[in-house]
Amino acid sequence: VQLVESGGDLVQPGGSLRLSCTTSGFIFRNYEMSWVRQAPGKELEWVSTIGFGGGGPEYAEFVKGRFSTYRDDGQNTLWLQMNSLKPDDTAMYYCARSGRAFATATLYRGHGTQVTVST
């Protein structure tokens, strides 16, 4: 199982980024997928989950209306579109092969991509 995140960068407040997670080693379409993040000095926190076939994306309250997650089962890839970024969004972002319940606990997680929101 491999999950590789990319797309993180330094961006100004109010800006946008799109993160991607390319996967291999498992049947991607059979799994719920999640994004989690870890800010400096804080615990890992759940951000979003998308179900089978792209169904029912769920979002943490602090990103609702600003972030969107979607998937392409043909490309085995997961994305996180992040708009209206805030300094509090600064964190390492990880994709996880898990639904919401175990997203912060699963070992099936990539190495992460750094998002820094700052002037």
Side-chain angles (χ1 to χ4, degrees):
V1 174
Q2 284 196 318
L3 304 99
V4 180
E5 302 92 340
S6 62
D9 205 345
L10 170 64
V11 63
Q12 292 189 345
S16 297
L17 281 176
R18 188 177 75 161
L19 307 184
S20 64
C21 172
T22 56
T23 72
S24 61
F26 64 100
I27 302 174
F28 181 75
R29 66 178 180 271
N30 288 353
Y31 288 86
E32 295 180 283
M33 296 293 297
S34 297
W35 289 97
V36 297
R37 71 184 188 184
Q38 188 166 28
K42 295 187 177 181
E43 294 187 350
L44 204 59
E45 63 182 353
W46 172 74
V47 174
S48 69
T49 294
I50 188 166
F52 310 109
E58 302 177 87
Y59 301 95
E61 283 298 323
F62 52 79
V63 303
K64 200 172 287 186
R66 300 188 298 123
F67 289 13
S68 297
T69 188
Y70 52 103
R71 64 192 294 166
D72 185 328
D73 290 345
Q75 296 187 37
N76 298 330
T77 301
L78 176 73
W79 287 276
L80 183 67
Q81 177 67 44
M82 305 188 295
N83 300 325
S84 302
L85 283 161
K86 306 175 181 179
D88 284 351
D89 294 319
T90 294
M92 186 72 81
Y93 284 74
Y94 303 88
C95 64
R97 195 189 79 174
S98 174
R100 177 178 179 176
F102 299 103
T104 58
T106 181
L107 297 179
Y108 293 114
R109 198 165 64 227
H111 291 296
T113 187
Q114 178 67 41
V115 172
T116 303
V117 185
S118 175
T119 56

